[in-house]
Amino acid sequence: MSTSNIIYFATPGPSLVQDDDVKKLRSELDKLVEKDPALKLAIDCSATHYVSSRALGLLVSVCTGIQDAGGHVVLFGVTPATERVLNVTRLSSVLDVAESKAEAQSMLGGR
Amino acid sequence: MSAPTNGALSARFAGLARSGSLGDLMVKFADIVASLGCRAFQVYLVSDGEAILTYSAGVTTESGGKLDLPDHRWFRAVLEDRKRWRPADALSRADPVFREAHAGFALVDRDDAVQGGLVFFEPTILRPLDDPEARADVLALVDHFGLVLSQLRRFGALERSHSRAIGKLAEFAEGQSILYLSEREEIFDAVLARALRNLGAISGAIILVEDGEWRRVWSQGEDADELTQDAWEHVKRCCEIGSAGLVNALSGESIFNFDIDTIHMAALLAFPLELDESYSGAILAYDATVSLDTIETVQGTARVAATAIENWRVRRKMLDQQRLEEQMSIAASVQSRLLPARQPDFTSLEVAHFSRYCDETGGDYIDAFVCHEASGAISLVVGDVSGHGLGSAMVMVDLRARIRTLLAVGDPWAPERILDHINRALYDETDRGEFVTLFLATFDGRTGTLRYASAGHENPLLYRSESGAVRALEATGIPLGLLRDAHYESRTVVLTRNDVFLGLTDGVTEARTETGELGVEVLHQRLADFGKASASAIVESIVALVFPDGDTASGRDDVSLLVAKPRSLRMEMQKDAPDLDGEKVWSERIDSNPEAKDAFLDTLSSRLEALLKHEDAGHFIVAAEEAVANATEHGSGLIPGAFVDVEWWVGQSAVHLVLHDQGEGFDLEATLAAPFERGARHRVRGRGLVIMAELLDRIVYWNGGRSVALTKSLPKK
């Protein structure tokens, strides 16, 4: 398990729906992964109220990539609307979701 | 004269005729009356036109001492009328042994003249007096007694052994109180104490045959702590012969016939107890000096003891039976409360069921309930605990609690994990005698998706309303509790409106018919024929197959079935275009590429803000994005010149976005059924569909999937 510090990233608001938004998210996450493929990443979703399946798909593929490289990703601050969509697409069992920033920190075992 | 119905009784009656004197007759008669269960009686003889009390024996529960004839006029009527029963207007208590206040009879002689009367007080005959056999026995006894009585009077053989008779009757009176003891130990104690006292002995025991074995059930005195081999042998011999016997203390000889004048010094004495028409017990005494007199007295006690023991056995059996019946009825009512309501009412699913246990309780389990409030997901469960009756019912109740809890706290869309959990729990916690099969399914009323897993349960059937075809829903998995590492898999099928799901237990397929077992083929056919009917009509028609003559109480196994029929679903594929309320407000053609899609969504967003609440507008945009993306990427395709036609409708109660693409359409059911949890591709179509189904009120596809109407209700004014 990496002893590096936790990297924090906030998803944009209010919506991650249109292709432009998704493209932007992808390039930002790619940058982080380039620096450290096995990073400990805490994603703050509190600004995002609307999320499309494409955005979710992106998150899943990024998270899987990081996990496969030995890192760990935890989402926190998930809004009720986003939670609804995570549940209905069964992604709440695939992505790690914490109730709060503190819980995310402890799940990632660091600061 | 009527003859007694009971052969053994008849033999005793014959003994009455061998009475040498009136006193002798009374003693013998008293014995017989005691063995019939009567507490006390009086004999009146007519002299100079008056009925005079001549003999009296026993005590009643009330009088405690003297017997009192309550109603002399009644008794006169008995004598005049020759025979009459006093109606049972007295005691009616909870004691299952029936009592009457008293019964009176006229005693007639050979010339048919009334010579006297007989009154039985509180005759506690085990069978009620309105039983014709009991009545017949008593009448026979009375008649016979009357005849012998008249004979003796005729020969003037009265008074000779009066004193002896008086003594015996006194004993008889006191001995009768044993009949009213209710505890087994009390009976033994009283019988043995009485017998030993009359014998002048200090040690003795009571022996009974229980569960086929000879057992010493009670004893008094040191010598009887451990019974010797000789004692057992003597007891068994007396029971074989059916007569009291003693072992002479000096000569060691066994004696079974007694002289009226001889005194015997006995090392052992045994008095057999006649129970259930065989001698299967005895009163045993050590070291007593006895005469015929003593022996006869204790024989009387033995007869009373036998009756008291039999009374106790019958009473206990009746109480046990009553207790068991009460408990079974409580268990049955608990279990019936756990079955689903008669007609569970779900918005998206029409459900009907039938469940019948062949005992009061059983091992079948069917259930239909909302397992996830937010999504309205409905669980359908069918299970079967092997066997039937109370044991299976208890396992079933436990199973039901586990399933409901696991569905509430776990993932209802992973039924295979729930089966896994229960399997390991059952394996660890129970004796591996139970054999539990279970079918677990979760139904999504928005899309019609049914995710299911099975642990060796009878395959449910699925009728497709469009094709009329019937198939079995198969899933692998062995019954629960057999193998700790058993593997369970879930499968998915997508139901459409008016399809029929039929879950059942093997009581249905294995039901006996004229041609053998009912089997599965017959059910396939029945579903195909009745598939278009309502869920309850389908249930009834299958119940009619299992119970052709309508008698649902017959059958050797529990029978359960569950029918579920989707009503209209939120997301559906139709043949024709839907009727949309409202008018087309605008339409446009957008190029099939991401930039055009995004631009369109921006425009749509501003229009929506005017009509819907902010949050609902946001959700609509998400759903619209999915639909338009599907139409562009999967439908028309991201090729130059491809396009998607868009229409915007506004009605009284809802708004609609309609899309038409130029693609080849798609299979809605297959797309919904394909697993999309771990799709690594960015755009997994199934995911988009379920998001739409979650966020909108209605989605209708038609034209093979090339056209779709997305509907959102307007907020109520």
Side-chain angles (χ1 to χ4, degrees):
Chain A
M1 176 98 136
S2 147
T3 49
S4 55
N5 285 344
I6 299 175
I7 306 291
Y8 293 89
F9 178 83
T11 55
S15 63
L16 254 183
V17 173
Q18 300 192 329
D19 277 12
D20 266 354
D21 299 323
V22 176
K23 267 199 203 113
K24 190 152 162 255
L25 176 67
R26 186 199 318 197
S27 75
E28 283 172 2
L29 287 173
D30 280 350
K31 269 194 218 130
L32 290 175
V33 172
E34 248 177 70
K35 277 205 216 123
D36 178 7
L39 78 159
K40 292 196 285 190
L41 181 61
I43 303 183
D44 182 350
C45 306
S46 51
T48 310
H49 292 272
Y50 307 103
V51 58
S52 73
S53 67
R54 189 183 199 103
L56 290 176
L58 170 66
L59 278 175
V60 169
S61 90
V62 167
C63 295
T64 320
I66 293 174
Q67 236 133 256
D68 288 345
H72 195 181
V73 184
V74 178
L75 277 60
F76 69 93
V78 169
T79 59
T82 311
E83 196 183 343
R84 234 173 120 184
V85 171
L86 282 175
N87 283 339
V88 88
T89 55
R90 318 283 321 284
L91 288 176
S92 44
S93 57
V94 171
L95 298 167
D96 281 334
V97 180
E99 305 274 308
S100 64
K101 183 168 176 182
E103 195 189 331
Q105 285 168 330
S106 81
M107 279 167 80
L108 288 165
R111 291 169 42 249
Chain B
M1 188 188 80
S2 48
T5 58
N6 183 328
L9 217 46
S10 165
R12 285 215 217 126
F13 285 9
L16 282 181
R18 289 197 287 274
S19 307
S21 66
L22 197 55
D24 200 15
L25 171 66
M26 296 313 305
V27 168
K28 289 194 168 101
F29 182 67
D31 261 355
I32 297 176
V33 165
S35 72
L36 285 178
C38 178
R39 189 171 180 75
F41 68 94
Q42 286 178 338
V43 178
Y44 291 77
L45 294 177
V46 170
S47 177
D48 295 324
E50 272 295 309
I52 314 253
L53 176 61
T54 312
Y55 278 99
S56 182
V59 291
T60 62
T61 44
E62 267 114 39
S63 73
K66 237 164 55 92
L67 286 175
D68 232 335
L69 203 56
D71 190 336
H72 289 265
R73 268 179 311 180
W74 163 77
F75 188 58
R76 186 160 305 136
V78 168
L79 297 181
E80 278 161 13
D81 254 4
R82 307 170 74 83
K83 269 177 196 136
R84 204 200 294 180
W85 300 94
R86 171 130 190 167
D89 59 356
L91 330 154
S92 60
R93 300 181 196 164
D95 191 314
V97 176
F98 177 82
R99 290 182 193 175
E100 265 216 344
H102 34 277
F105 300 85
L107 291 168
V108 250
D109 65 17
R110 286 167 68 137
D111 304 319
D112 216 30
V114 174
Q115 59 174 317
L118 177 59
V119 180
F120 289 123
F121 289 82
E122 297 179 1
T124 57
I125 300 178
L126 286 177
R127 290 172 295 165
L129 283 172
D130 47 20
D131 179 320
E133 265 188 37
R135 263 203 139 122
D137 285 348
V138 172
L139 287 176
L141 173 64
V142 169
D143 284 344
H144 198 66
F145 175 71
L147 277 181
V148 175
L149 180 67
S150 80
Q151 220 164 310
L152 287 174
R153 294 180 78 197
R154 192 185 286 263
F155 294 132
L158 293 164
E159 315 309 323
R160 232 183 311 164
S161 29
H162 207 108
S163 57
R164 202 168 136 220
I166 296 288
K168 296 254 170 56
L169 284 172
E171 164 59 27
F172 169 77
E174 286 178 52
Q176 291 292 280
S177 64
I178 290 173
L179 283 180
Y180 282 87
L181 298 172
S182 54
E183 297 302 320
R184 201 166 111 106
E185 286 73 29
E186 285 178 328
I187 295 171
F188 292 154
D189 193 40
V191 163
L192 189 59
R194 161 147 255 107
L196 293 181
R197 205 189 69 200
N198 285 325
L199 292 168
I202 37 179
S203 293
I206 298 189
I207 290 150
L208 287 181
V209 175
E210 290 183 326
D211 301 319
E213 275 184 35
W214 291 83
R215 288 209 188 104
R216 185 202 58 164
V217 298
W218 202 256
S219 68
Q220 195 178 310
E222 271 172 26
D223 288 335
D225 273 343
E226 190 93 32
L227 299 185
T228 59
Q229 189 60 21
D230 288 340
W232 285 111
E233 278 174 17
H234 182 67
V235 163
K236 287 181 188 168
R237 187 113 181 268
C238 292
C239 288
E240 250 171 80
I241 302 177
S243 144
L246 61 88
V247 174
N248 189 293
L250 299 171
S251 65
E253 219 189 316
S254 297
I255 302 174
F256 300 97
N257 294 304
F258 307 99
D259 227 309
I260 199 167
D261 296 315
T262 318
I263 308 271
H264 302 271
M265 276 172 56
L268 284 171
L269 275 153
F271 298 85
L273 299 171
E274 192 184 348
L275 301 161
D276 291 328
E277 292 174 30
S278 76
Y279 288 97
S280 47
I283 302 173
L284 174 74
Y286 282 91
D287 300 320
T289 302
V290 295
S291 65
L292 175 61
D293 227 15
T294 340
I295 290 173
E296 282 180 350
T297 307
V298 181
Q299 274 174 325
T301 309
R303 280 209 247 280
V304 172
T307 307
I309 291 168
E310 277 192 21
N311 274 11
W312 179 86
R313 282 179 177 168
V314 169
R315 197 183 279 125
R316 193 191 50 180
K317 204 160 151 211
M318 285 166 110
L319 283 175
D320 280 350
Q321 184 62 28
Q322 201 171 32
R323 208 176 300 129
L324 182 64
E325 278 167 18
E326 269 169 24
Q327 287 176 351
M328 286 309 286
S329 125
I330 290 170
S333 85
V334 166
Q335 201 174 28
S336 75
R337 269 188 268 128
L338 298 178
L339 286 173
R342 202 77 206 75
Q343 274 277 53
D345 198 20
F346 307 109
T347 339
S348 56
L349 202 58
E350 190 197 335
V351 173
H353 63 90
F354 171 86
S355 197
R356 206 239 44 227
Y357 301 129
C358 62
D359 297 329
E360 287 95 337
T361 55
D364 271 7
Y365 166 39
I366 53 173
D367 213 348
F369 57 94
V370 173
C371 62
H372 193 240
E373 291 282 352
S375 63
I378 296 167
S379 280
L380 301 173
V381 190
V382 189
D384 192 347
V385 177
S386 59
H388 43 81
L390 193 56
S392 306
M394 289 175 71
V395 175
M396 179 281 228
V397 170
D398 174 61
L399 189 66
R400 179 186 179 278
R402 280 183 211 267
I403 290 171
R404 282 196 166 228
T405 307
L406 288 170
L407 282 166
V409 305
D411 184 0
W413 299 107
E416 73 282 7
R417 272 190 246 144
I418 291 175
L419 288 185
D420 200 40
H421 191 106
I422 297 176
N423 175 56
R424 275 179 279 125
L426 279 185
Y427 183 90
D428 291 338
E429 296 166 24
T430 67
D431 301 326
R432 267 138 261 151
E434 264 87 44
F435 186 90
V436 180
T437 64
L438 189 69
F439 173 89
L440 187 57
T442 306
F443 177 75
D444 182 350
R446 296 168 305 193
T447 57
T449 308
L450 187 77
R451 181 75 67 90
Y452 63 94
S454 174
H457 193 78
E458 193 80 33
N459 291 328
L461 300 182
L462 178 65
Y463 163 84
R464 293 296 205 172
S465 61
E466 194 174 316
S467 62
V470 178
R471 74 169 238 250
L473 288 178
E474 288 178 26
T476 58
I478 63 170
L480 301 169
L482 291 183
L483 195 67
R484 200 173 196 274
D485 298 321
H487 178 65
Y488 300 99
E489 274 172 14
S490 64
R491 307 225 173 144
T492 310
V493 67
V494 179
L495 307 185
T496 56
R497 199 196 309 194
N498 294 327
D499 283 352
V500 177
F501 166 90
L502 169 66
L504 43 104
T505 59
D506 60 12
V508 177
T509 45
E510 291 173 12
R512 280 269 165 74
T513 68
E514 283 163 2
T515 50
E517 283 187 352
L518 190 69
V520 179
E521 288 308 314
V522 176
L523 293 174
H524 275 245
Q525 190 56 51
R526 183 53 58 115
L527 258 192
D529 294 338
F530 276 77
K532 304 246 184 282
S534 70
S536 2
I538 296 171
V539 166
E540 272 174 38
S541 75
I542 295 174
V543 170
L545 279 178
V546 177
F547 302 105
D549 45 18
D551 176 18
T552 60
S554 62
R556 341 152 275 150
D557 198 2
D558 301 334
V559 170
S560 299
L561 49 116
L562 176 71
V563 168
K565 219 176 153 166
R567 296 196 229 256
S568 94
L569 302 164
R570 222 188 254 188
M571 175 178 277
E572 289 183 311
M573 173 88 79
Q574 282 181 189
K575 282 213 172 65
D576 306 311
D579 282 323
L580 300 173
D581 84 301
E583 292 179 349
K584 194 184 338 182
V585 170
W586 49 256
S587 61
E588 69 185 79
R589 174 165 291 187
I590 60 174
D591 289 331
S592 185
N593 64 61
E595 292 77 23
K597 168 181 74 89
D598 281 357
F600 165 72
L601 288 173
D602 283 334
T603 330
L604 182 62
S605 185
S606 51
R607 288 177 200 266
L608 284 174
E609 291 290 338
L611 285 163
L612 297 172
K613 286 202 302 229
H614 176 72
E615 198 187 324
D616 287 344
H619 290 319
F620 197 107
I621 291 295
V622 174
E625 195 277 339
E626 303 292 345
V628 177
N630 279 343
T632 53
E633 288 166 38
H634 299 277
S636 302
L638 298 165
I639 49 178
F643 56 85
V644 172
D645 284 325
V646 179
E647 296 165 22
W648 179 241
W649 293 60
V650 177
Q652 284 283 12
S653 53
V655 294
H656 314 273
L657 182 71
V658 179
L659 306 172
H660 306 279
D661 71 57
Q662 300 168 297
E664 302 186 347
F666 72 105
D667 184 339
L668 176 64
E669 286 173 34
T671 312
L672 286 170
F676 46 74
E677 288 94 23
R678 291 198 170 270
R681 285 167 43 223
H682 293 182
R683 176 79 72 179
V684 177
R685 194 163 192 174
R687 232 181 245 155
L689 290 178
V690 296
I691 291 177
M692 285 160 60
E694 169 66 21
L695 298 176
L696 296 170
D697 295 311
R698 189 134 167 80
I699 305 107
V700 181
Y701 282 92
W702 71 100
N703 197 12
R706 275 167 245 139
S707 300
V708 64
L710 312 177
T711 302
K712 188 82 179 165
S713 302
L714 288 172
K716 309 225 192 305
K717 304 275 188 310

